[in-house]
């Protein structure tokens, strides 16, 4: 009974980790897209130069 519970617990942990890692990859992609849009669409400052956007 104990080995079965350990296997089920391990499967649950691996499934949770896989889902969390996939979610983190999507978050990383969204942050990268926002960063690229901000880099391309940054506005000029009063002197005409491009300032920091971050």
């Amino acid at each position: 009974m104990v080995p079965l519970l350990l296997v089920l617990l391990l499967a649950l942990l691996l499934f949770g980790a896989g889902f969390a890692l996939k979610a983190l990859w999507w978050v990383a992609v969204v942050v990268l897209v926002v960063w690229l849009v901000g880099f391309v669409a940054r506005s000029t400052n009063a002197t005409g130069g491009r300032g920091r956007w971050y």
Side-chain angles (χ1 to χ4, degrees):
M1 183 70 178
V2 172
L4 179 63
L5 288 176
L6 288 176
V7 169
L8 289 174
L9 182 62
L10 181 63
L12 184 64
L13 285 174
L14 290 176
F15 174 76
F19 178 76
L21 289 175
K22 186 169 182 168
L24 286 176
W25 273 109
W26 281 112
V27 169
V29 167
V30 168
V31 168
L32 178 66
V33 168
V34 168
W35 181 77
L36 287 173
V37 167
F39 183 75
V40 171
R42 63 184 177 181
S43 63
T44 59
N45 58 17
T47 61
R50 290 192 180 260
R52 291 184 179 148
W53 59 271
Y54 52 87

